[in-house]
């Protein structure tokens, strides 16, 4: 049995703040082969999640906000934003399900934001994510600029 409580959330938030990627996951599944991947994902505002999709194999993904606020962006095949959904633990939308072929990214608006994430498994690093060719790679100056534009809705 695993319980999502303030101690787990607080520890994960601190781990994300101290991680160079500014995010940290806590897995509830014990094997990457599990057909249902379940995790907490703490994401800080300066963490860049490169737009991607899950296509081969096709996988659904769901985010449910537990703390803070995040925006989930859905893009068309050319990189234009087709939807942006604010997930806010205090008010408004609480979750979103993303279909397998949808390009998407998630951006934290508040320090300490945590989502419960569910995704079809199994997990394989080689085919889990198909990164958008029109989006900059993490760790580049272009990625920082792109993230800043997403935050103000300019992309």
């Amino acid at each position: 049995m695993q319980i999502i409580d303030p101690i787990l959330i607080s520890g994960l938030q601190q781990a994300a703040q101290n991680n160079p990627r500014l995010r940290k996951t806590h897995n509830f599944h014990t094997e990457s082969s599990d057909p249902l991947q379940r995790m907490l994902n703490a994401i800080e505002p300066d963490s860049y999640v490169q737009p991607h999709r899950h296509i081969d194999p096709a996988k659904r993904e769901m985010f449910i906000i537990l703390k803070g606020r995040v925006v989930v962006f859905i893009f068309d095949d050319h990189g234009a934003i087709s939807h942006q959904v604010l997930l806010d633990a205090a008010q408004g939308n609480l979750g979103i399900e993303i279909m397998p072929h949808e390009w998407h990214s998630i951006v934290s608006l508040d320090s300490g934001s945590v989502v419960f994430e569910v995704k079809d498994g199994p997990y394989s690093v080689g085919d889990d994510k198909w990164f958008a060719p029109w989006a900059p790679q993490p760790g580049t100056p272009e990625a920082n600029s792109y993230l800043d534009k997403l935050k103000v809705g300019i992309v």
Side-chain angles (χ1 to χ4, degrees):
M1 178 174 69
Q2 296 188 60
I3 298 173
I4 301 171
D5 62 14
I7 295 169
L8 177 60
I9 297 285
S10 177
L12 196 60
Q13 290 167 319
Q14 290 176 1
Q17 291 165 356
N18 294 322
N19 185 309
R21 295 175 66 210
L22 296 172
R23 61 183 184 264
K24 185 69 177 166
T25 59
H26 171 86
N27 292 344
F28 292 100
H29 55 280
T30 57
E31 301 289 333
S32 59
S33 61
D34 195 310
L36 186 62
Q37 306 286 299
R38 303 153 330 272
M39 65 206 84
L40 296 179
N41 199 337
I43 307 170
E44 289 296 300
D46 289 332
S47 180
Y48 171 61
V49 178
Q50 184 177 1
H52 61 280
R53 61 184 175 177
H54 309 281
I55 58 171
D56 189 16
K59 297 179 181 184
R60 298 160 295 174
E61 187 169 18
M62 177 176 269
F63 297 113
I64 300 170
I65 191 76
L66 299 179
K67 290 277 190 178
R69 296 176 308 142
V70 301
V71 176
V72 176
F73 291 93
I74 306 296
F75 304 90
D76 69 17
D77 287 338
H78 305 287
I81 297 170
S82 59
H83 296 86
Q84 83 183 36
V85 179
L86 172 67
L87 302 183
D88 186 332
Q91 61 184 356
N93 299 318
L94 299 176
I96 184 172
E97 183 176 33
I98 300 160
M99 294 297 106
H101 293 270
E102 292 181 316
W103 295 108
H104 61 281
S105 182
I106 184 170
V107 174
S108 173
L109 300 179
D110 297 335
S111 183
S113 292
V114 178
V115 296
F116 179 71
E117 181 177 344
V118 179
K119 184 169 52 174
D120 293 317
Y123 173 79
S124 171
V125 70
D127 65 13
D128 181 62
K129 293 182 179 103
W130 297 79
F131 293 104
W134 38 260
Q137 293 185 355
T140 64
E142 295 82 10
N144 294 335
S145 175
Y146 186 80
L147 177 59
D148 290 341
K149 289 177 183 177
L150 283 176
K151 286 180 184 179
V152 295
I154 296 174
V155 173

